[in-house]
Amino acid sequence: MSRTLTSIGRTGAAFAALAILLIALWLGAAIGETAIPFSTVAQTVANRLWNAGYPLEPIDEGIIWSYRLSRAVVAASCGAALALSGAVLQSLLRNPLADPYILGISAGASTGAVSVAILGFGAGMLTMPLGAFLGALIAFVLVSVLAVKAGRGTAAIILAGVAGSQLFNALTSFIVTKAATAEQARGIMFWLLGNLSGVRWPDAWLAVPAALVGLAVCLWHARALDAFTFGQESAASLGISVRRTYLALVGVSAMMTAVMVSIVGSIGFVGLVIPHAARMLVGVRHGVLLPAAALIGAVFMIIADILSRTLIPGQVLPIGVITALVGAPAFALILGQRRARA
């Protein structure tokens, strides 16, 4: 009986999460400078997916399908992936400040993507996502080596991450300054702040599978992450293959970060703040925490995208600016609550 109730509860929670995500996507497609009724969004989706034949204005249908909805889908995938990466890295490293941005993974991915796009690194054999993935892995390896040499403590990991971020940010700036044209430099610098303006459905077909695969891999290792909360020795004593689990989770975190950076650029605070917010809402068990973090991250990024398009009429702000403006005060509030509880 209890198992049946648990199964019903999980099914209900899954449907509720799906409903919240669909509502957020609906809002992301409907809200913008051009006022479009919510019913038009539903009719546009029905026309595109099922050839429903609703009579709609071609301009409205094009704005919804080709511009806003694709942005919302990519924003949701990016928010979910970054939040998952942050939750995983914080548990693996037992460090509440760990996230892809602070640990230099985002900066390394940016350097890899820029190297492929501007320098032609790989002689045409590498795509931007693959170059970003290699850069993310190199950055994490470098930060790990620096942290080990500095003593493996929490402060050492953060300091190594800051040093790695500065190094790869400097390399990216050097590449852009020396090798990019003026037009390329403007595009790259705007992209590095987090930019959804150029994303379309081909980007969504890359972002959505990356986020879903990352979520599946992380959920597969949820119990291992619970054990990592008490340290690697405790995880090993429970029969968990520490090295294999560590490599798998770091690899999938780097993959998700690299794919999202190659599409939308470097976005901060999502992987840092969202996992803490999810823990405050659902607790620390990763079987619940990971889906909650992915959902909150997806909804947060959709809302940030809406704000980036509507705050200043006639101008689209980089989405990284919005996440920083919202994320920094939110993180300060979370730190204050954690201190009060302690």
Side-chain angles (χ1 to χ4, degrees):
M1 183 67 177
S2 60
R3 289 184 179 180
T4 303
L5 292 175
T6 301
S7 177
I8 293 174
R10 289 178 178 175
T11 303
F15 276 112
L18 180 60
I20 292 171
L21 181 58
L22 290 176
I23 291 171
L25 291 171
W26 195 2
L27 293 173
I31 299 175
E33 288 190 359
T34 303
I36 297 178
F38 289 102
S39 59
T40 304
V41 176
Q43 291 171 353
T44 298
V45 174
N47 284 350
R48 294 286 181 160
L49 296 182
W50 302 292
N51 197 23
Y54 289 107
L56 299 173
E57 289 290 337
I59 294 178
D60 290 345
E61 190 170 358
I63 289 174
I64 291 170
W65 184 260
S66 301
Y67 179 63
R68 291 185 186 172
L69 191 57
S70 59
R71 281 178 67 115
V73 170
V74 172
S77 302
C78 181
L82 293 178
L84 280 171
S85 298
V88 167
L89 292 174
Q90 288 169 12
S91 297
L92 281 180
L93 302 176
R94 301 180 66 195
N95 190 324
L97 297 179
D99 88 317
Y101 193 83
I102 289 179
L103 293 182
I105 297 177
S106 293
S110 298
T111 302
V114 168
S115 298
V116 172
I118 294 180
L119 298 180
F121 184 76
M125 301 292 290
L126 294 178
T127 60
M128 276 186 64
L130 186 55
F133 178 67
L134 293 176
L137 284 181
I138 292 171
F140 189 81
V141 169
L142 175 63
V143 169
S144 298
V145 171
L146 289 175
V148 168
K149 289 185 177 295
R152 296 189 179 185
T154 299
I157 295 172
I158 298 302
L159 290 174
V162 171
S165 294
Q166 293 300 318
L167 172 63
F168 284 101
N169 285 333
L171 287 174
T172 300
S173 299
F174 179 78
I175 293 170
V176 172
T177 302
K178 297 295 292 184
T181 63
E183 185 176 350
Q184 284 179 322
R186 284 195 299 270
I188 289 294
M189 297 311 294
F190 193 76
W191 170 77
L192 288 174
L193 292 173
N195 180 24
L196 285 166
S197 295
V199 301
R200 296 296 182 266
W201 283 113
D203 300 302
W205 305 142
L206 179 62
V208 172
L212 290 177
V213 169
L215 177 61
V217 173
C218 292
L219 285 176
W220 181 263
H221 293 89
R223 292 191 177 184
L225 284 169
D226 288 338
F228 268 95
T229 304
F230 301 99
Q232 294 186 8
E233 294 80 6
S234 299
S237 66
L238 295 173
I240 294 171
S241 177
V242 172
R243 180 171 302 222
R244 181 182 62 79
T245 302
Y246 190 87
L247 291 176
L249 291 173
V250 167
V252 78
S253 298
M255 179 275 293
M256 290 190 290
T257 302
V259 170
M260 301 310 160
V261 167
S262 70
I263 296 173
V264 302
S266 183
I267 297 175
F269 283 99
V270 178
L272 178 63
V273 175
I274 300 300
H276 289 291
R279 288 188 187 94
M280 293 173 63
L281 292 175
V282 302
V284 297
R285 293 186 60 183
H286 287 83
V288 180
L289 172 64
L290 294 174
L295 176 63
I296 296 171
V299 173
F300 173 74
M301 281 292 288
I302 293 173
I303 294 173
D305 178 49
I306 293 172
L307 292 175
S308 73
R309 290 185 282 114
T310 57
L311 276 180
I312 302 178
Q315 184 176 351
V316 178
L317 293 173
I319 196 168
V321 173
I322 303 297
T323 60
L325 288 175
V326 176
F331 187 60
L333 179 63
I334 290 172
L335 286 179
Q337 291 184 350
R338 286 172 62 92
R339 182 179 180 85
R341 289 181 180 179

